[in-house]
Amino acid sequence: MIGTLLEFTSSHIKDKQGIFGIVEMSGIKIVGSFDSMQLKEGMKVKMSECGVGPDGTAFYRFVKA
Amino acid sequence: MRRVAISSWATSKFVKDSKLSLFELACEPCVEILKDGNVSRKDIDAVMFSSCTTEQYSSTIVSEMLGMRPKVSHRIDNLCNSGTNAVASAFSLIASGLCDSALVVGAEKTDSSGNKLLWDITRGSFMFPVHWAAIFAKAHMRKYGTTEEQMAMVSVKNHRNASKNPKALFDKPVSLKEVMDSKKIADPVKLLDCSAPCDGASAVLLVSEEKAKKLTDSPVWIKGIGQQTNSASFANATADLTTIESAKLAARDAFKMAQVMPSQVDVAELHDAFTILEILAYEDLGFAKKGEGGKFVGQKEIAINPRGGIIGCGHPVGTTGVAQVAEIASQLAGAAEKRQVKNCKTGLVHNLAAAGSSATVIIMGA
């Protein structure tokens, strides 16, 4: 699925470190993580992985489309 | 519709580890109102309990502990927006004529299990409120050039105000450097840009005009209320990440009902759970033009968060909105002691829940 990156930043919270952003895909907005900081608002991204982590919370990962 | 006044109010000291149970904590400001408010238990027609506790029958338990047998007793839970939701419900009961008086009680313990919104899976693994606050802050910085220093100045102001409030969790001012050097949480939000959860309780007594005349010489009137619920999820809260749409709509309705303009507001308690939210509130409420909220920090036209706001006072979630209303009532009655704003006639309360997915704005007048 291809979406648009609306905004991104980075988290420093323990066990939640890393780059994260809000992505709009087919009218649905989802917050997920990115491996690269080479990002720009408005760029096209695709979901590379999603699931439920060991703590029971959902996760979404995105990469450049 | 009947006029509704606030005749008395009280707030407990906000602390990190109260030895009191939730219900004991809830009773504390109510007992103060009963002692000082010229009102007896049998005069209370309704008890509205605002809390995120998952304890069942909690409003009725608080009523019994207070020795009251009200006609109406409900708990109201809407996360951080619970307190003003309870005030709005109490207002409706009195304005409609169903009740003549309603005691609104907010109480929360730091570990209330209902404090967390687990339903919203659109946030993925970034479920902490600071994550959406960071997104809002980054978007406002990028679009309007708002700076980290401007956000930090909100924290400096609110900590300074809290140092004059004996009920606040934080009693010491902080410097701009201390805020800027505080631990990074989620860029650009730092530790001192954030409020802290705590234990605390607050209560306000709402009464009909007829009853107000018997109870007090200086009633504070509720002149306008606006409420808006956009979603439960961050994803659907707002289309524009630089605006809290629910607050904008709630403010529009509250100002219309009160027949007041933003420029007429003298004192306001704004929902500053994170510093960026106070800056967004300046714009959403019409105090500052869109994009100029950052420059509005430090203005002297309106006294903002004189009790210290949520950043300075702490954030007992279900209590916050009630404590905000109690503060504005105190200011308008000229009873705010060291933090009294001079000659204030019109006050405003702005209270949000979860990423601004819902909002309440209340306008009050002396």
Side-chain angles (χ1 to χ4, degrees), chain B residues 25-102:
Chain B
L25 196 59
C27 290
E28 198 179 306
C30 303
V31 168
E32 202 177 318
I33 284 177
L34 289 167
K35 269 187 193 168
D36 304 336
N38 200 23
V39 65
S40 71
R41 285 168 169 79
K42 63 178 173 38
D43 288 329
I44 309 289
D45 290 339
V47 172
M48 316 302 287
F49 183 46
S50 166
S51 180
C52 293
T53 180
T54 49
E55 290 266 6
Q56 289 182 316
Y57 220 29
S58 49
S59 187
T60 310
I61 292 169
V62 170
S63 300
E64 179 166 339
M65 285 177 71
L66 289 167
M68 291 176 185
R69 303 178 77 176
K71 293 177 188 173
V72 181
S73 185
H74 303 153
R75 175 167 69 91
I76 290 173
D77 144 43
N78 209 13
L79 284 174
C80 313
N81 196 16
S82 303
T84 49
N85 281 223
V87 171
S89 297
F91 174 91
S92 306
L93 287 172
I94 297 167
S96 66
L98 196 60
C99 293
D100 281 322
S101 63

Side-chain angles (χ1 to χ4, degrees), chain A residues 6-13 16-22 27-33 37 41 57-60, chain B residues 121-128 130-132 134-135 138-139 142 184-188 234-236 238-241:
Chain A
L6 301 178
E7 193 55 80
F8 69 97
T9 187
S10 49
S11 170
H12 304 281
I13 295 174
K16 305 282 179 194
Q17 287 107 333
I19 301 153
F20 69 101
I22 183 164
I28 299 168
K29 290 180 197 149
I30 294 169
V31 179
S33 61
M37 196 64 180
E41 300 79 12
T57 58
F59 70 87
Y60 313 98
Chain B
I121 61 165
T122 65
R123 296 169 299 171
S125 52
F126 299 94
M127 295 192 84
F128 294 117
V130 70
H131 289 126
W132 53 253
I135 293 274
K138 188 82 187 304
R142 185 170 57 80
K184 287 183 173 182
I185 307 294
D187 292 336
F234 169 46
N236 288 320
T238 185
D240 175 355
L241 294 170

Side-chain angles (χ1 to χ4, degrees), chain B residues 216-264:
Chain B
T216 178
D217 294 330
S218 51
V220 173
W221 301 99
I222 294 182
K223 295 193 164 180
I225 297 181
Q227 294 191 283
Q228 179 63 37
T229 303
N230 277 9
S231 65
S233 65
F234 169 46
N236 288 320
T238 185
D240 175 355
L241 294 170
T242 66
T243 296
I244 305 291
E245 286 170 3
S246 59
K248 211 170 168 178
L249 294 169
R252 179 198 64 191
D253 292 350
F255 281 123
K256 187 178 174 189
M257 182 176 168
Q259 297 186 301
V260 163
M261 302 288 286
S263 59
Q264 292 173 273

Side-chain angles (χ1 to χ4, degrees), chain B residues 195-208:
Chain B
S195 58
C198 66
D199 302 346
S202 185
V204 292
L205 181 63
L206 273 63
V207 294
S208 63

